[in-house]
Amino acid sequence: MLYILNREHWLAELKDTRALLLNEQQEVVDSLSKVYNCEPAYFVFKRKDKVIISFIAFTKEKKLFQPIHFFYSAFWVDSELSDRIYAASLSEFIEELKKRYKHIHIALPVEIKDIRPFLWQGFSVENRYTYLKQTNELSYGKYMERKLVKAEQLPLKFIEEKINAAAIDLNLKLLKQLNFSKTSLNGIKELLGSLRDTKYLVSFNVYSNEELLISDILLKDEDNSLVYEVLKNSLKGDSNIHSVSYHRLFQYYGKEGFKVVDLMGADMQSISKFKAGFNPILVPHFIVKYNWHKNMISEFKANLKTIIKRLLRGT
């Protein structure tokens, strides 16, 4: 059964179930809600008085959406469910969402691998990929090893620090080159500013003679030993320095107790080719969308086609 709760009661339901995820933390939810002018909705789905699905959605009237591309939706399903219970429960949960929202957009985390219930409920699916790098496995291909040898000879300084204006500006420059709209850029800049004083957002920077060469903006989930790469850009396009910056990042966060770095993207061919040199694990994840109007038109066309076929058989 679906329950819609306030945050306090939602937290109470999850207290003995699991640790909170990064995108469920109060500061993160509040920042996203404020910057993108939306309201968080707290859902749990229970079976035999046990929480088996939880979701923090961002909503605006009849629209449920994911405000920004570098967060997965805060969508969790108990991994111990049988196939039958998983499919039936998730289908019922999705059905309840469809009763409340005409437009739904969910960026499913990598843990959600079975998306059949979304397909059965008329959702469209976009297949995406990301790379996960285990920080205890730092053996690379020969090509990458040669790059590291060259870069290690350079007078570089690697440091984690609170994100600053220089790091933000350097990374927004990349997004401008990728033709992000002015509205999107302003939203991202405001979001980074909103999170800069939290323990979650940092930058892992590379300096040469005090000049910022590379800035890697990261989100840290200490409770689940995960680091998420948000944005990365360089002042100069030296692939050797890029390579050693990743190597040092993996080393640093491995020593800090983080087990996995999600490189947050393996869809662009050129970027995927470069990141693959670090021998990460390629994993799919899914964007699922529902549009009530489009779904009604599709159902109407399907029903009309069925009627026409029946009429033709009868002639």
Side-chain angles (χ1 to χ4, degrees), residues 131-170:
Y131 278 125
L132 302 181
K133 180 59 185 175
Q134 305 284 339
T135 58
N136 65 350
E137 179 50 67
L138 299 183
S139 61
Y140 313 127
K142 291 182 179 179
Y143 173 73
M144 188 60 68
E145 294 288 358
R146 287 196 297 269
K147 284 180 170 290
L148 294 181
V149 170
K150 292 178 182 178
E152 290 287 7
Q153 300 171 6
L154 301 173
L156 303 174
K157 181 171 69 173
F158 305 86
I159 183 170
E160 181 200 82
E161 53 191 347
K162 183 181 289 190
I163 191 170
N164 56 33
I168 292 175
D169 290 344
L170 181 59

Tab-separated table of all heavy atoms in Angstrom, residues 131-170:
chain	number	residue	atom	x	y	z
A	131	TYR	N	30.001	4.676	-15.726
A	131	TYR	CA	31.124	3.849	-15.290
A	131	TYR	C	31.239	3.925	-13.767
A	131	TYR	O	31.198	5.014	-13.189
A	131	TYR	CB	32.437	4.345	-15.899
A	131	TYR	CG	32.709	3.887	-17.307
A	131	TYR	CD1	32.981	4.805	-18.316
A	131	TYR	CD2	32.734	2.526	-17.623
A	131	TYR	CE1	33.270	4.392	-19.609
A	131	TYR	CE2	33.003	2.113	-18.919
A	131	TYR	CZ	33.278	3.036	-19.898
A	131	TYR	OH	33.553	2.609	-21.174
A	132	LEU	N	31.423	2.780	-13.133
A	132	LEU	CA	31.703	2.707	-11.703
A	132	LEU	C	33.136	2.231	-11.521
A	132	LEU	O	33.526	1.194	-12.061
A	132	LEU	CB	30.744	1.738	-10.996
A	132	LEU	CG	29.246	2.029	-11.121
A	132	LEU	CD1	28.451	0.975	-10.347
A	132	LEU	CD2	28.907	3.421	-10.622
A	133	LYS	N	33.928	2.994	-10.771
A	133	LYS	CA	35.318	2.633	-10.542
A	133	LYS	C	35.525	2.224	-9.093
A	133	LYS	O	35.283	3.010	-8.171
A	133	LYS	CB	36.243	3.805	-10.887
A	133	LYS	CG	37.724	3.492	-10.671
A	133	LYS	CD	38.185	2.307	-11.511
A	133	LYS	CE	39.618	1.906	-11.217
A	133	LYS	NZ	40.007	0.690	-11.965
A	134	GLN	N	35.998	0.982	-8.896
A	134	GLN	CA	36.336	0.506	-7.562
A	134	GLN	C	37.669	1.130	-7.153
A	134	GLN	O	38.658	1.014	-7.875
A	134	GLN	CB	36.452	-1.027	-7.571
A	134	GLN	CG	35.235	-1.763	-8.105
A	134	GLN	CD	34.091	-1.807	-7.125
A	134	GLN	OE1	34.287	-1.635	-5.927
A	134	GLN	NE2	32.884	-2.043	-7.626
A	135	THR	N	37.697	1.780	-5.993
A	135	THR	CA	38.919	2.485	-5.591
A	135	THR	C	40.021	1.551	-5.108
A	135	THR	O	41.166	1.988	-4.935
A	135	THR	CB	38.609	3.505	-4.490
A	135	THR	OG1	38.016	2.828	-3.365
A	135	THR	CG2	37.652	4.584	-4.988
A	136	ASN	N	39.697	0.276	-4.893
A	136	ASN	CA	40.735	-0.680	-4.486
A	136	ASN	C	41.327	-1.435	-5.677
A	136	ASN	O	42.111	-2.368	-5.500
A	136	ASN	CB	40.171	-1.672	-3.456
A	136	ASN	CG	39.077	-2.563	-4.039
A	136	ASN	OD1	38.603	-2.324	-5.152
A	136	ASN	ND2	38.662	-3.565	-3.293
A	137	GLU	N	40.939	-1.031	-6.870
A	137	GLU	CA	41.427	-1.695	-8.086
A	137	GLU	C	41.997	-0.623	-9.014
A	137	GLU	O	41.274	0.002	-9.803
A	137	GLU	CB	40.277	-2.452	-8.757
A	137	GLU	CG	40.657	-3.159	-10.051
A	137	GLU	CD	41.903	-4.012	-9.914
A	137	GLU	OE1	41.869	-5.015	-9.192
A	137	GLU	OE2	42.921	-3.638	-10.540
A	138	LEU	N	43.300	-0.408	-8.910
A	138	LEU	CA	43.928	0.689	-9.643
A	138	LEU	C	44.902	0.207	-10.712
A	138	LEU	O	45.888	0.868	-11.019
A	138	LEU	CB	44.642	1.630	-8.662
A	138	LEU	CG	43.744	2.298	-7.622
A	138	LEU	CD1	44.536	3.253	-6.748
A	138	LEU	CD2	42.584	3.034	-8.289
A	139	SER	N	44.619	-0.930	-11.290
A	139	SER	CA	45.416	-1.389	-12.435
A	139	SER	C	44.719	-0.942	-13.712
A	139	SER	O	43.503	-1.074	-13.851
A	139	SER	CB	45.551	-2.918	-12.410
A	139	SER	OG	44.274	-3.537	-12.487
A	140	TYR	N	45.499	-0.390	-14.656
A	140	TYR	CA	44.947	0.162	-15.885
A	140	TYR	C	45.614	-0.492	-17.097
A	140	TYR	O	46.565	-1.271	-16.964
A	140	TYR	CB	45.174	1.679	-15.944
A	140	TYR	CG	44.821	2.415	-14.673
A	140	TYR	CD1	45.746	3.267	-14.050
A	140	TYR	CD2	43.568	2.278	-14.073
A	140	TYR	CE1	45.427	3.954	-12.890
A	140	TYR	CE2	43.239	2.950	-12.909
A	140	TYR	CZ	44.171	3.789	-12.317
A	140	TYR	OH	43.856	4.457	-11.167
A	141	GLY	N	45.124	-0.111	-18.249
A	141	GLY	CA	45.736	-0.595	-19.480
A	141	GLY	C	47.095	0.054	-19.714
A	141	GLY	O	47.422	1.090	-19.129
A	142	LYS	N	47.896	-0.551	-20.588
A	142	LYS	CA	49.249	-0.046	-20.855
A	142	LYS	C	49.227	1.377	-21.388
A	142	LYS	O	50.090	2.204	-21.046
A	142	LYS	CB	49.955	-0.976	-21.853
A	142	LYS	CG	50.294	-2.347	-21.276
A	142	LYS	CD	51.039	-3.196	-22.300
A	142	LYS	CE	51.389	-4.561	-21.710
A	142	LYS	NZ	52.097	-5.416	-22.700
A	143	TYR	N	48.238	1.676	-22.237
A	143	TYR	CA	48.126	3.026	-22.797
A	143	TYR	C	47.964	4.059	-21.677
A	143	TYR	O	48.632	5.097	-21.675
A	143	TYR	CB	46.934	3.068	-23.747
A	143	TYR	CG	46.586	4.439	-24.267
A	143	TYR	CD1	47.388	5.065	-25.209
A	143	TYR	CD2	45.434	5.100	-23.827
A	143	TYR	CE1	47.072	6.325	-25.698
A	143	TYR	CE2	45.110	6.357	-24.315
A	143	TYR	CZ	45.929	6.966	-25.243
A	143	TYR	OH	45.611	8.210	-25.718
A	144	MET	N	47.090	3.749	-20.711
A	144	MET	CA	46.859	4.675	-19.601
A	144	MET	C	48.076	4.742	-18.688
A	144	MET	O	48.427	5.815	-18.182
A	144	MET	CB	45.619	4.238	-18.815
A	144	MET	CG	45.175	5.234	-17.750
A	144	MET	SD	44.765	6.861	-18.447
A	144	MET	CE	43.283	6.472	-19.385
A	145	GLU	N	48.726	3.626	-18.470
A	145	GLU	CA	49.918	3.608	-17.612
A	145	GLU	C	51.011	4.517	-18.182
A	145	GLU	O	51.706	5.209	-17.437
A	145	GLU	CB	50.443	2.174	-17.466
A	145	GLU	CG	49.516	1.215	-16.714
A	145	GLU	CD	49.467	1.492	-15.227
A	145	GLU	OE1	50.178	2.399	-14.751
A	145	GLU	OE2	48.703	0.789	-14.522
A	146	ARG	N	51.160	4.535	-19.502
A	146	ARG	CA	52.164	5.407	-20.133
A	146	ARG	C	51.818	6.881	-19.899
A	146	ARG	O	52.708	7.706	-19.659
A	146	ARG	CB	52.260	5.104	-21.632
A	146	ARG	CG	52.955	3.787	-21.959
A	146	ARG	CD	53.360	3.724	-23.423
A	146	ARG	NE	52.211	3.756	-24.309
A	146	ARG	CZ	51.582	2.662	-24.744
A	146	ARG	NH1	51.988	1.464	-24.361
A	146	ARG	NH2	50.552	2.774	-25.567
A	147	LYS	N	50.555	7.211	-19.965
A	147	LYS	CA	50.125	8.585	-19.711
A	147	LYS	C	50.452	8.995	-18.272
A	147	LYS	O	50.895	10.121	-18.015
A	147	LYS	CB	48.623	8.718	-19.959
A	147	LYS	CG	48.223	8.763	-21.424
A	147	LYS	CD	46.711	8.909	-21.551
A	147	LYS	CE	46.321	9.197	-22.985
A	147	LYS	NZ	46.729	10.538	-23.422
A	148	LEU	N	50.237	8.068	-17.348
A	148	LEU	CA	50.480	8.382	-15.938
A	148	LEU	C	51.961	8.625	-15.680
A	148	LEU	O	52.331	9.524	-14.921
A	148	LEU	CB	49.974	7.236	-15.049
A	148	LEU	CG	48.458	6.998	-15.048
A	148	LEU	CD1	48.101	5.848	-14.111
A	148	LEU	CD2	47.699	8.245	-14.644
A	149	VAL	N	52.809	7.823	-16.306
A	149	VAL	CA	54.260	7.997	-16.132
A	149	VAL	C	54.683	9.390	-16.589
A	149	VAL	O	55.462	10.080	-15.914
A	149	VAL	CB	55.029	6.912	-16.908
A	149	VAL	CG1	56.519	7.237	-16.942
A	149	VAL	CG2	54.804	5.546	-16.271
A	150	LYS	N	54.170	9.828	-17.724
A	150	LYS	CA	54.516	11.161	-18.250
A	150	LYS	C	54.023	12.263	-17.312
A	150	LYS	O	54.728	13.219	-17.014
A	150	LYS	CB	53.916	11.352	-19.634
A	150	LYS	CG	54.523	10.471	-20.707
A	150	LYS	CD	53.828	10.690	-22.050
A	150	LYS	CE	54.398	9.775	-23.127
A	150	LYS	NZ	53.692	9.954	-24.426
A	151	ALA	N	52.780	12.135	-16.833
A	151	ALA	CA	52.184	13.189	-16.023
A	151	ALA	C	52.783	13.256	-14.627
A	151	ALA	O	52.865	14.338	-14.031
A	151	ALA	CB	50.674	12.975	-15.928
A	152	GLU	N	53.200	12.119	-14.075
A	152	GLU	CA	53.763	12.106	-12.724
A	152	GLU	C	55.049	12.917	-12.634
A	152	GLU	O	55.483	13.301	-11.552
A	152	GLU	CB	54.014	10.660	-12.260
A	152	GLU	CG	52.747	9.845	-11.985
A	152	GLU	CD	52.031	10.246	-10.709
A	152	GLU	OE1	52.439	11.256	-10.085
A	152	GLU	OE2	51.072	9.555	-10.325
A	153	GLN	N	55.664	13.191	-13.762
A	153	GLN	CA	56.908	13.971	-13.766
A	153	GLN	C	56.648	15.478	-13.719
A	153	GLN	O	57.571	16.270	-13.549
A	153	GLN	CB	57.721	13.622	-15.023
A	153	GLN	CG	58.109	12.151	-15.111
A	153	GLN	CD	58.709	11.778	-16.461
A	153	GLN	OE1	58.933	12.639	-17.306
A	153	GLN	NE2	58.959	10.499	-16.670
A	154	LEU	N	55.381	15.871	-13.856
A	154	LEU	CA	55.033	17.288	-13.875
A	154	LEU	C	54.869	17.823	-12.450
A	154	LEU	O	54.465	17.090	-11.553
A	154	LEU	CB	53.740	17.500	-14.666
A	154	LEU	CG	53.760	17.045	-16.134
A	154	LEU	CD1	52.371	17.162	-16.744
A	154	LEU	CD2	54.763	17.878	-16.934
A	155	PRO	N	55.144	19.115	-12.224
A	155	PRO	CA	55.012	19.716	-10.887
A	155	PRO	C	53.553	20.057	-10.589
A	155	PRO	O	53.121	21.217	-10.662
A	155	PRO	CB	55.877	20.975	-10.990
A	155	PRO	CG	55.771	21.372	-12.436
A	155	PRO	CD	55.691	20.090	-13.208
A	156	LEU	N	52.774	19.035	-10.247
A	156	LEU	CA	51.342	19.212	-10.029
A	156	LEU	C	50.986	19.039	-8.553
A	156	LEU	O	51.606	18.244	-7.838
A	156	LEU	CB	50.550	18.196	-10.855
A	156	LEU	CG	50.786	18.211	-12.370
A	156	LEU	CD1	50.057	17.057	-13.032
A	156	LEU	CD2	50.351	19.546	-12.970
A	157	LYS	N	49.947	19.743	-8.126
A	157	LYS	CA	49.428	19.603	-6.771
A	157	LYS	C	47.965	19.173	-6.862
A	157	LYS	O	47.187	19.758	-7.607
A	157	LYS	CB	49.547	20.923	-6.002
A	157	LYS	CG	49.040	20.841	-4.568
A	157	LYS	CD	49.371	22.100	-3.772
A	157	LYS	CE	48.572	23.286	-4.252
A	157	LYS	NZ	48.755	24.477	-3.386
A	158	PHE	N	47.608	18.139	-6.098
A	158	PHE	CA	46.253	17.603	-6.111
A	158	PHE	C	45.645	17.836	-4.733
A	158	PHE	O	46.225	17.440	-3.716
A	158	PHE	CB	46.268	16.100	-6.415
A	158	PHE	CG	46.985	15.755	-7.691
A	158	PHE	CD1	48.371	15.566	-7.699
A	158	PHE	CD2	46.296	15.627	-8.882
A	158	PHE	CE1	49.042	15.257	-8.864
A	158	PHE	CE2	46.970	15.311	-10.062
A	158	PHE	CZ	48.343	15.130	-10.058
A	159	ILE	N	44.455	18.435	-4.702
A	159	ILE	CA	43.894	18.776	-3.403
A	159	ILE	C	42.371	18.772	-3.442
A	159	ILE	O	41.758	19.248	-4.401
A	159	ILE	CB	44.409	20.159	-2.930
A	159	ILE	CG1	43.891	20.493	-1.537
A	159	ILE	CG2	44.060	21.259	-3.928
A	159	ILE	CD1	44.528	21.710	-0.922
A	160	GLU	N	41.760	18.197	-2.409
A	160	GLU	CA	40.315	18.330	-2.212
A	160	GLU	C	40.074	19.606	-1.432
A	160	GLU	O	40.716	19.853	-0.409
A	160	GLU	CB	39.749	17.145	-1.427
A	160	GLU	CG	38.236	17.260	-1.240
A	160	GLU	CD	37.697	16.417	-0.088
A	160	GLU	OE1	37.766	16.868	1.078
A	160	GLU	OE2	37.191	15.324	-0.361
A	161	GLU	N	39.148	20.416	-1.895
A	161	GLU	CA	38.842	21.652	-1.183
A	161	GLU	C	37.392	22.046	-1.409
A	161	GLU	O	36.712	21.513	-2.300
A	161	GLU	CB	39.781	22.780	-1.629
A	161	GLU	CG	39.833	23.010	-3.117
A	161	GLU	CD	40.978	23.952	-3.494
A	161	GLU	OE1	41.553	24.606	-2.608
A	161	GLU	OE2	41.301	24.022	-4.688
A	162	LYS	N	36.933	22.962	-0.567
A	162	LYS	CA	35.584	23.475	-0.728
A	162	LYS	C	35.478	24.149	-2.092
A	162	LYS	O	36.399	24.845	-2.522
A	162	LYS	CB	35.269	24.473	0.379
A	162	LYS	CG	33.838	25.019	0.318
A	162	LYS	CD	33.571	26.022	1.429
A	162	LYS	CE	33.482	25.339	2.772
A	162	LYS	NZ	32.989	26.294	3.812
A	163	ILE	N	34.369	23.923	-2.752
A	163	ILE	CA	34.208	24.469	-4.091
A	163	ILE	C	34.239	25.998	-4.043
A	163	ILE	O	33.668	26.613	-3.140
A	163	ILE	CB	32.897	23.944	-4.726
A	163	ILE	CG1	32.844	24.290	-6.205
A	163	ILE	CG2	31.679	24.449	-3.989
A	163	ILE	CD1	31.707	23.602	-6.940
A	164	ASN	N	34.923	26.607	-5.002
A	164	ASN	CA	35.034	28.064	-5.027
A	164	ASN	C	34.591	28.598	-6.384
A	164	ASN	O	34.236	27.838	-7.297
A	164	ASN	CB	36.467	28.497	-4.697
A	164	ASN	CG	37.490	27.863	-5.629
A	164	ASN	OD1	37.234	27.625	-6.805
A	164	ASN	ND2	38.677	27.572	-5.092
A	165	ALA	N	34.611	29.910	-6.514
A	165	ALA	CA	34.126	30.549	-7.735
A	165	ALA	C	34.933	30.124	-8.963
A	165	ALA	O	34.372	29.936	-10.056
A	165	ALA	CB	34.169	32.064	-7.579
A	166	ALA	N	36.249	29.954	-8.801
A	166	ALA	CA	37.091	29.567	-9.930
A	166	ALA	C	36.706	28.186	-10.454
A	166	ALA	O	36.648	27.952	-11.670
A	166	ALA	CB	38.568	29.592	-9.516
A	167	ALA	N	36.444	27.253	-9.529
A	167	ALA	CA	36.047	25.898	-9.926
A	167	ALA	C	34.694	25.903	-10.623
A	167	ALA	O	34.491	25.215	-11.639
A	167	ALA	CB	36.008	24.994	-8.695
A	168	ILE	N	33.751	26.678	-10.094
A	168	ILE	CA	32.424	26.758	-10.701
A	168	ILE	C	32.518	27.363	-12.097
A	168	ILE	O	31.955	26.836	-13.065
A	168	ILE	CB	31.474	27.579	-9.814
A	168	ILE	CG1	31.185	26.825	-8.508
A	168	ILE	CG2	30.162	27.872	-10.544
A	168	ILE	CD1	30.352	27.608	-7.508
A	169	ASP	N	33.240	28.468	-12.222
A	169	ASP	CA	33.350	29.145	-13.521
A	169	ASP	C	34.016	28.260	-14.571
A	169	ASP	O	33.592	28.235	-15.741
A	169	ASP	CB	34.135	30.448	-13.371
A	169	ASP	CG	33.356	31.515	-12.606
A	169	ASP	OD1	32.129	31.357	-12.462
A	169	ASP	OD2	33.989	32.481	-12.143
A	170	LEU	N	35.056	27.529	-14.171
A	170	LEU	CA	35.751	26.645	-15.107
A	170	LEU	C	34.815	25.561	-15.626
A	170	LEU	O	34.807	25.238	-16.821
A	170	LEU	CB	36.975	26.011	-14.436
A	170	LEU	CG	37.830	25.074	-15.300
A	170	LEU	CD1	38.369	25.807	-16.525
A	170	LEU	CD2	38.975	24.491	-14.480
